[in-house]
Structure formats: structure tokens, C-alpha cells
Amino acid sequence: VTQTLSELTASTGRLALVGLAKNTGKTEALAALLRELEAQGRRVGVTSVGRDGEERDVIDSRIEKPRVLLPAGSFVATTDGLLRASTIPHELLEDTGVRTPLGRVMLARLEGAGAIEVAGPSAAENVRAVSDAMLAHGAEQVLIDGAIDRRAASSPDVADGLIVSTGAVLDHDIDEVVQQTRDAVELVRLASVDKDAAAGPRLRELARAGESLLVGEDLEPIALPPRFLLTADPERVAQLLDGNPGGRWLIVAGALPERFLRGLLHPVHKRRRELVLVVADPTKVFLWKRGPEWFERQGVVLRTFSRIALEAITVNPVAPQSHRFDSAELRGRLAEAIPDVPIFDVLSSDYPGAHRPSRKSETPGPGQVAGIAPAPGAPLTPR
Amino acid sequence: MREVDLSAVRPYADHLGDGLVQMSFTLPVPYSLAARRAAMELAARMGFEEPEVVHYEQLTEGYTYFVMYGRCVQTVDFAALQGEGFDIEYMGEDEIEHFAQTHIGRPIVVVGASTGSDTHSVGIDAMLNLKGYHGHHGLEGYRCFETHNLGSQVPNSVLVARAIDVGADAILVSQTVTQQNLHVHNLTELVEIVEAEGRRGQMILACGGPRVSNELAKELGYDAGFSKGTEPHHLATFIVRELAARAESTRSDASAQVAASPQSTAA
């Protein structure tokens, strides 16, 4: 049975949407969800770690962006200025006190329907707070839209589930798009520390200290110098491992940058024994070129204390101002590489959820070059 | 004198609301009457009424330079845009020193760098170094700031580690943002590393660069964006005001908690 995005995520109270890059169709996924939830009569709350519903892309003004249309009764976290600019009648519920470059974030209940630019808090802690506030005011589900490629709001500390958006914009080569998406999804779905280690409970207990620790087979921890994972060059990493040959696990207290992982490759290979790094959750890991499975094959294993619930992947087969792939082919290739996660193109005619007029096949679709601007009052074209 | 209607403003030259715009551009066509006609047609397509070529000349062979007037009929709602956060009144250096002493009362630590592959440190130098920019000296020259300029091509993780080690109140990064995802990714990664280190609430993050607007800063996850034309006291004003506002909201949160806590009344 094919389900829609809203059906798949119906029980997710705080749902995060994260894109792998700009223009991967994240806001289209949000718009599709909003259409479906409106049809079901569900009261939603919406916030964005960036800015949503703006008319044009902030970096490339040739790219038109989808509007965010909210029905009456919706909750929204956005700035005072954007609330006023929307001209939608609303009831102000709270001044969150959160300041952003676009103004102060307010919490409002809309008393009419309309298009609104959404710019909520950026910091993960504040995102969680406004999401909870909207739920407390009566929202049945809160949608947290990401920005660019930011992932912090998808942490289990903030959201209960995640939709990942990917698309042609990642590369000209479809194989490369599939590979990069697969790497990103591997990271999102990082296995739990409990998967293959009876030591899980003890490691969790040690992690509460809030510092990075190297832990031996005997489960005795050695504290690493402050900021070691952020700053250590390969030489210092090698010294650490050579000096502690019994080290089996490395508990990561904060961020895990790829630089550090690369520094581990040689010493781990030399000692012929794998090292398991355990992070608080996948948003703490920063990879550029390789996915977790590649590192695992080199003996550098990544595990997490908290897992992210990945509900679905959406694809945008169009790279604005550049190239496009066949939607069905891209989805097929992704499904082969990433089995067991539902994959959608919400603008494709075969998408089972509520539709907006489908993509025009002969024009470049999303982010089409704006030709002569429509006269004021002319109907908005899709996209 | 006519009152300005801030909900519908348009350019003006001779009298309010006339919409007159002067523009200049170059077309890759030979200097000729046809070139002049092309410029007129182009201006009309841009939506200008009564376009007029007031000057045109050959720039080099095959290129013609134009100066034109045209009447803009569109308006913008300025009233709706006010209060979006970018209409800060900047303080002068003495005011900033005084404000910092009154509201913060300790050295304000600022760490700056051009991150990732960006080799341009001129923006950071202008903001931080004593020499400064445009006759305003940089943050280093203020008594209230302690600055650390890490230079260019600093990896994000190293920058964040240094910021934590020196107890930074603010991180300032500069990056030339282009349409390449790489530059954008580098800026978002810094924010995410600060989040992962659990320090986002304690650090002000500001980014600067030729194309950095407040809108872009918001998407990137920064507290402010500074573009061309920014002078050091603009940045300094933002930092001291934001720090004071944060201290204020922490204080009011703390007092609210005390008021709400039954233990505190029982004790």
C-alpha cells in the first residue's frame, strides 16, 4: 500500500525536514505536507530554522521559491515583521524573546488563511522550545523546516522524526547524487551503540560525564584533553592510539569532524583493530566526502547513543538553472541504494498525496528563469 | 510639503512620487542609433515608463555605454519592512565603550577568521585589527574588546575549539559566498559544530562577506550578517547590544524561575 507523507508521519509530533543542499525541494515537501494536513483537518504548527515562503532564492534571485500556504487555525513561529507583512489576521500568543537577523520571533495563531514567510528560531534549543509551545497551545503536529543543509534541528533532542530531501542539485551525475544521498542517509540512520556491544549501558553511563573518553575492553575510561577531537592533527591522534593499545571505544562529547576521523585511519589500520566512536546523535558527525560505511570498512566504526527516526526521503529531479533527471529513474536508483525508506517526488503525477498542478514538462520547472514578471493580480503560476 | 506614504514608496528626483530613476549600463552592440533604440526597448521591458537616453557613447569597438532616465511605477511597502531587525542605530566608539562598561562590565572576547578554503582575510582584518577601515579603527582598538584574529583558511573545528578555549562571546567569520554549495556548506558547518558542542546559546555568531545579507545570515543560522559598507563600529554596536539583550533575558528567565518555583518560596 502506497502511503503519503502525512500518513507516514501522522504519529510524529515534531517532524523535521532537512535538505542535503539548497534547492533539494524541502519547501515543496513542506507545502505537500501542509496540503495533506489541511485536507485532513489537522491543526499544524510551522517553524523554520531559516526562512521559508520567500519569493526568490536568497543567493540566486533567478530561482523562484514555493510559497507556504497555511489554513486558518494554524500556529506559526515567525518574526513580527513577517507576520505583519503577511496581512493574515492573527492572534499573538507569545513573544518568544528570540532575536534573529530578521527580527524577533513571535508565536501566533492565524485567524485566516494565506501565504506567509516563516522565519522561526535558528538555535536547536529554541526550536525545541517553540515547537513544544505550539503543541501546548493545541497544535496536533509541528513541522520544523530546515535551511540549506543544516541538520541540528533533526537531532532527537529537538525532533521526533525526519524527512530528508535530496535532488539533482547535488551533482550532474545521477550516480553521484545517489551515492551522496546514500552516504547522508547512512549517517542519519547510524546504528545504535547497543547494536553489537553489550557494553552499551556502561558506555551510556560514562558519557554522562560530558567529556570525550577513550574506553578500553576493561571499560575503564581515559579522559582526552579538552577539544582534542576538534583540534588534534594526525600525529597526536596516532600518539593517543599507540599509547593506549587497549582502546576499544571512543565516546565523543561534542562534534566529530571528518578531520579527526581521517587522522584515525592510519593508526587504526596499523594496530589491526577497529575503534568504535560513539556520538550523542548523528547530527554531531561532520562528513564531507565519505559515508559511515566507508569508514567502517577501514576499521573506524561510528555508533550513536540516540537514533533519528527517518520517515521518508523526497527528491527534486530538477537542478535549477542547470540540469534535470527523470523523476522515476532517480527514485528507482535511490530505492536500489537505500532500501526500506519510502521515496517520493511530491510534484510527480504518481505521488499519492494531494496535488498542486504538476510540473510543466517542457520548462525547467522549479526555479525556472523568471521571464517577464506577471502583471500585478495575475494568477500565480505553480512554482 | 507632501507627506510620504510609507506603505507605497517609490524613487523620486524632482518631486515626491515621480518615480524617476537614473541608470547606466553597457550593451555589447556597436555605437549607433540602433543601439540607442535597443536601450530604450530594454528599459521599457524593465517596466520603466517614459524611458529616455540622456547620454550614450562608444565604450570600445562593438560596445555602447548608456545613461538613462525612466519612470518607475512600482511601489514598495516600507511600513511592513520596518522592524525587521536591520534598522539598527549605530553607536559611536565612545558610546560603545560606555555601553559595554555599563551593561557588560568585563572584556568582550571576539574570535574572527576566514574559514575553510577562503584565503581572503581582508574583511576580518578591517573589522578586528587596530588599523580598521574607513577611518574607524577595528575592535582591537576598543578597551571593551579582547580580539583574536586567527587569519585565513582556518578549519571550522579549529576555530570553534579556539573560541571555546578563550571563552569567546562572539565568533566572526568572513566568507565570499557564491552560488557554489561549497561556500554555503562551510558557513553552515560552523554553526552546526557550535551546536554540536552545545555552545550555541553562549556565542554570538556573525558572518560577513560581499554577498551576505540578513536574509542569508538567517538561513545560514547566524545571528547577524554584515555586507559591503560595514564599518567596525557597526559590528561592535551589534555585539554589545546583543550581549546585553542576552544577559537581560537570562536574568529575567532566572527571576521567572525563582518566582515559579515552589521550593524557593518554601525555603
Side-chain angles (χ1 to χ4, degrees):
Chain A
V1 184
T2 323
Q3 287 180 297
T4 62
L5 276 182
S6 61
E7 285 163 3
L8 275 168
T9 57
S11 63
T12 308
R14 291 169 296 246
L15 177 64
L17 294 98
V18 164
L20 299 188
K22 274 189 84 61
N23 300 312
T24 49
K26 199 167 38 60
T27 309
E28 285 293 0
L30 174 74
L33 267 169
L34 288 171
R35 285 196 294 276
E36 293 169 27
L37 293 168
E38 182 178 2
Q40 295 159 21
R42 295 248 283 171
R43 258 195 325 278
V44 293
V46 181
T47 185
S48 170
V49 303
R51 194 169 63 117
D52 268 312
E54 72 279 18
E55 283 176 52
R56 301 200 167 271
D57 186 86
V58 66
I59 296 177
D60 188 339
S61 63
R62 293 172 303 178
I63 301 175
E64 287 180 46
K65 310 290 278 187
R67 312 303 305 273
V68 174
L69 296 166
L70 294 177
S74 304
F75 297 89
V76 66
T78 193
T79 64
D80 40 7
L82 293 174
L83 260 176
R84 269 200 312 279
S86 77
T87 70
I88 304 173
H90 57 266
E91 178 194 353
L92 270 185
L93 300 172
E94 283 177 36
D95 174 351
T96 66
V98 172
R99 293 169 304 279
T100 78
L102 300 179
R104 250 176 125 84
V105 178
M106 302 289 163
L107 217 61
R109 187 197 343 254
L110 301 185
E111 289 166 343
I116 186 164
E117 263 188 58
V118 185
S122 273
E125 187 188 359
N126 297 331
V127 174
R128 173 63 189 247
V130 300
S131 303
D132 286 351
M134 288 193 277
L135 291 172
H137 280 289
E140 292 166 83
Q141 184 171 37
V142 171
L143 307 178
I144 303 165
D145 202 14
I148 311 181
D149 55 4
R150 291 161 57 198
R151 300 174 293 145
S154 66
S155 160
D157 289 339
V158 179
D160 308 305
L162 170 66
I163 292 174
V164 163
S165 296
T166 183
V169 74
L170 294 187
D171 205 280
H172 278 88
D173 178 356
I174 193 167
D175 292 325
E176 188 58 29
V177 172
V178 171
Q179 186 57 47
Q180 287 186 27
T181 306
R182 192 172 120 160
D183 287 348
V185 167
E186 271 172 21
L187 179 55
V188 162
R189 297 205 293 175
L190 213 54
S192 166
V193 62
D194 304 312
K195 182 187 165 201
D196 42 20
R202 170 69 177 148
L203 295 174
R204 277 177 204 282
E205 196 186 306
L206 289 171
R208 269 185 225 125
E211 50 182 351
S212 294
L213 305 167
L214 185 64
V215 182
E217 210 63 75
D218 56 2
L219 293 173
E220 281 310 310
I222 300 160
L224 303 185
R227 262 65 76 197
F228 187 78
L229 279 81
L230 295 180
T231 55
D233 51 33
E235 205 174 317
R236 284 177 70 207
V237 177
Q239 275 170 15
L240 173 79
L241 284 202
D242 293 348
N244 300 281
R248 173 89 176 80
W249 293 280
L250 201 161
I251 295 175
V252 181
L256 177 57
E258 184 170 293
R259 264 175 100 241
F260 183 79
L261 287 172
R262 293 199 166 269
L264 283 173
L265 294 175
H266 185 65
V268 163
H269 182 74
K270 206 174 71 182
R271 71 174 196 162
R272 293 157 186 275
R273 188 153 173 231
E274 66 176 33
L275 181 74
V276 182
L277 293 101
V278 192
V279 293
D281 70 63
T283 68
K284 310 295 188 271
V285 186
F286 297 87
L287 301 178
W288 281 79
K289 295 242 155 66
R290 304 287 190 180
E293 277 178 20
W294 184 87
F295 280 102
E296 184 154 346
R297 285 197 295 276
Q298 325 298 316
V300 175
V301 181
L302 293 175
R303 292 289 182 264
T304 180
F305 286 118
S306 297
R307 297 199 69 203
I308 290 176
L310 176 64
E311 318 273 7
I313 296 171
T314 71
V315 305
N316 176 5
V318 180
Q321 310 296 333
S322 178
H323 58 284
R324 64 190 299 151
F325 301 128
D326 178 71
S327 174
E329 188 193 349
L330 179 58
R331 280 177 284 151
R333 298 282 283 276
L334 284 167
E336 278 168 34
I338 310 164
D340 65 21
V341 183
I343 300 173
F344 300 106
D345 174 356
V346 297
L347 294 188
S348 163
S349 56
D350 58 16
Y351 176 66
H355 277 269
R356 118 185 345 199
S358 64
R359 191 182 287 129
K360 285 180 238 155
S361 53
E362 62 291 338
T363 56
Q368 44 196 274
V369 182
I372 293 167
L380 287 173
T381 49
R383 295 251 196 187
Chain B
M1 202 174 141
R2 263 175 70 187
E3 185 104 350
V4 180
D5 176 5
L6 290 181
S7 71
V9 294
R10 59 162 62 111
Y12 101 107
D14 297 330
H15 56 88
L16 269 180
D18 64 14
L20 271 188
V21 172
Q22 177 183 321
M23 60 191 145
S24 62
F25 54 84
T26 302
L27 291 179
V29 297
Y31 176 62
S32 59
L33 279 175
R36 190 174 177 282
R37 291 246 319 264
M40 296 276 286
E41 197 171 321
L42 193 61
R45 286 189 184 216
M46 289 186 218
F48 288 106
E49 288 188 354
E50 302 165 40
E52 192 184 341
V53 174
V54 293
H55 172 79
Y56 69 125
E57 67 180 55
Q58 173 166 309
L59 203 60
T60 179
E61 188 141 350
Y63 291 82
T64 308
Y65 173 75
F66 300 89
V67 176
M68 293 193 66
Y69 286 167
R71 205 177 282 282
C72 169
V73 292
Q74 307 292 340
T75 63
V76 291
D77 183 353
F78 180 74
L81 295 174
Q82 278 176 308
E84 280 195 20
F86 50 74
D87 46 355
I88 309 179
E89 275 177 42
Y90 297 112
M91 293 189 270
E93 198 177 322
D94 291 343
E95 266 180 288
I96 291 167
E97 296 280 19
H98 181 74
F99 185 94
Q101 201 164 26
T102 319
H103 293 87
I104 296 146
R106 58 171 176 82
I108 300 165
V109 184
V110 179
V111 174
S114 302
T115 61
S117 59
D118 205 322
T119 53
H120 303 89
S121 67
V122 52
I124 288 291
D125 293 345
M127 291 303 125
L128 293 188
N129 292 0
L130 183 61
K131 182 163 72 85
Y133 172 71
H134 236 249
H136 298 274
H137 53 71
L139 268 49
E140 190 184 2
Y142 288 68
R143 282 192 310 278
C144 64
F145 288 110
E146 172 192 324
T147 59
H148 301 263
N149 185 348
L150 307 190
S152 64
Q153 289 184 286
V154 183
N156 282 322
S157 57
V158 172
L159 172 59
V160 174
R162 187 71 189 280
I164 295 172
D165 285 336
V166 300
D169 295 295
I171 299 181
L172 173 67
V173 289
S174 96
Q175 172 105 72
T176 308
V177 175
T178 67
Q179 279 152 29
Q180 291 171 30
N181 270 315
L182 174 71
H183 296 132
V184 169
H185 180 70
N186 200 48
L187 283 168
T188 56
E189 193 195 59
L190 174 73
V191 177
E192 302 253 297
I193 290 179
V194 173
E195 284 271 12
E197 287 289 313
R199 306 279 174 159
R200 186 66 186 89
Q202 294 114 60
M203 284 184 192
I204 294 170
L205 301 183
C207 57
R211 300 175 60 137
V212 177
S213 60
N214 272 307
E215 284 76 12
L216 180 60
K218 175 69 179 79
E219 293 223 8
L220 294 166
Y222 286 74
D223 297 306
F226 293 95
S227 189
K228 249 195 163 78
T230 300
E231 292 170 359
H233 65 285
H234 300 165
L235 176 68
T237 301
F238 169 72
I239 291 175
V240 296
R241 286 224 177 105
E242 177 63 20
L243 259 189
R246 286 187 185 194
E248 181 58 41
S249 59
T250 314
R251 261 198 304 280
S252 58
D253 281 359
S255 57
Q257 269 163 22
V258 170
S261 155
Q263 285 92 335
S264 67
T265 46

